[in-house]
């Protein structure tokens, strides 16, 4: 299936971690050979409006650097001083190719490129644990913890005017996410999150095939269940999804 944006899969993403710097990284290989048309029907092409099959195979690398830390701990400020906070920086790189009917069209036209890969957009995030992190100095977190996270996606990604697919989105977006972490039984961790992303206006909506409209906002949700098998070994099942509003 065609994936518009890769995302690092984190282990227990809404659990308060001991103050430190953490690095998560992932590699995604996507054939991008199917899509859904305007009626919601699955089509064997990344461009459902075209008659022939088209693929946009890609390899994506994403690295997320996160800091968990107390804030104004000595100042006894309301809300901020007695809990942990989270700041994250996400960097992306994406290599994209064009295959099928679209490649034949590109080869017959001058000025067009069959690949539009390179550095992707950058994400900045900041959030606070609303509950569950008060006793972090004792190495303990609550049975249930909650995280409120705000983020900004910056259009730092490469955009090639002559390529049908690009590593960058060519527009800003902001998002808010609320996550819950719980321990349903001994040795198990359950995480669930719900978010909403708002896309700013794209000055050149031709990038991403959106002409003549703008990209619709997205609902985001994820669910993860992890089970401890033995010391240092866990088994986790993660599900992530996004539901985009109409362009």
């Amino acid at each position: 299936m065609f994936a518009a944006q890769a995302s690092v899969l984190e282990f227990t993403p809404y659990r308060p971690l001991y103050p430190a710097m953490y690095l998560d990284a992932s590699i995604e290989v996507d054939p991008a050979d199917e899509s859904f048309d305007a009626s919601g029907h699955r089509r064997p092409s990344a461009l459902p409006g075209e008659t022939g099959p088209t693929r946009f195979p890609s390899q994506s690398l994403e690295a997320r650097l996160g800091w968990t830390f107390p804030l104004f701990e000595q100042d006894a400020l309301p809300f901020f001083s007695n809990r942990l906070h989270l700041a994250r920086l996400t960097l992306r790189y994406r290599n994209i190719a064009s295959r099928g009917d679209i490649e034949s069209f590109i080869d017959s036209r001058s000025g067009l490129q069959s690949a539009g890969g390179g550095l992707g957009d950058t994400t900045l995030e900041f959030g606070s644990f609303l509950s569950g992190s008060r006793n972090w100095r004792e190495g303990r977190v609550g049975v249930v913890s909650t995280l409120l996270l705000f983020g900004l996606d910056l259009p730092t990604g490469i955009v090639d005017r002559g390529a049908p697919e690009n590593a960058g989105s060519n527009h800003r977006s902001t998002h808010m996410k609320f996550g819950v972490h719980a321990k349903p039984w001994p040795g198990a961790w359950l995480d669930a999150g719900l978010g909403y992303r708002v896309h700013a206006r794209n000055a050149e909506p031709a990038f991403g095939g959106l002409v003549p409209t703008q990209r619709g906002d997205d609902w985001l949700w994820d669910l993860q269940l992890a089970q401890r098998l033995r010391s240092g070994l866990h088994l986790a099942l993660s599900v992530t999804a996004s539901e985009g509003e109409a362009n």
Side-chain angles (χ1 to χ4, degrees):
M1 296 304 297
F2 178 71
Q5 180 176 345
S7 180
V8 168
L9 292 178
E10 298 176 85
F11 183 66
T12 61
Y14 308 115
R15 178 170 64 101
L17 300 178
Y18 194 82
M21 184 180 297
Y22 299 88
L23 174 64
D24 295 284
S26 71
I27 298 177
E28 180 183 89
V29 178
D30 187 356
D33 55 357
E34 293 183 340
S35 61
F36 293 93
D37 62 18
S39 301
H41 299 119
R42 188 191 297 258
R43 300 299 183 188
S45 175
L47 295 176
E50 302 297 326
T51 56
T54 288
R55 297 183 294 115
F56 294 128
S58 67
Q59 301 82 41
S60 303
L61 172 63
E62 182 170 321
R64 177 176 293 163
L65 188 61
W67 296 268
T68 303
F69 54 91
L71 193 61
F72 303 119
E73 190 175 16
Q74 304 300 322
D75 299 323
L77 295 180
F79 181 80
F80 286 100
S81 298
N82 60 355
R83 67 192 70 242
L84 292 177
H85 307 273
L86 176 65
R88 294 195 303 203
L89 168 67
T90 303
L91 302 174
R92 301 176 177 88
Y93 181 87
R94 191 177 180 202
N95 183 35
I96 313 169
S98 303
R99 299 289 183 263
D101 282 14
I102 189 67
E103 185 178 18
S104 301
F105 176 82
I106 290 173
D107 292 340
S108 66
R109 300 292 193 277
S110 62
L112 300 183
Q113 303 293 329
S114 61
L119 293 177
D121 293 348
T122 300
T123 300
L124 303 174
E125 294 175 296
F126 178 83
S128 299
F129 288 94
L130 305 181
S131 62
S133 66
R134 291 178 179 268
N135 298 317
W136 67 268
R137 285 195 173 277
E138 289 76 34
R140 297 184 293 110
V141 297
V143 176
V144 176
S145 58
T146 56
L147 172 66
L148 184 61
L149 192 67
F150 297 90
L152 173 64
D153 297 303
L154 301 175
T156 57
I158 298 297
V159 175
D160 190 330
R161 295 174 181 270
E165 276 290 293
N166 285 277
S169 65
N170 202 50
H171 70 277
R172 297 186 314 276
S173 65
T174 57
H175 61 269
M176 180 178 68
K177 200 167 190 180
F178 179 76
V180 179
H181 171 80
K183 299 178 181 179
W185 58 80
W189 292 329
L190 179 65
D191 290 78
L194 177 65
Y196 191 72
R197 179 185 289 121
V198 177
H199 296 276
R201 184 179 182 275
N202 189 341
E204 298 180 88
F207 300 133
L210 297 177
V211 174
T213 58
Q214 298 290 328
R215 180 170 176 177
D217 299 334
D218 302 317
W219 282 100
L220 315 169
W221 66 268
D222 59 85
L223 182 67
Q224 182 183 106
L225 177 63
Q227 176 65 53
R228 180 180 180 272
L229 303 180
R230 62 180 178 84
S231 179
L233 180 63
H234 297 78
L235 177 65
L237 175 64
S238 298
V239 180
T240 61
S242 63
E243 183 71 23
E245 296 182 355
N247 292 335

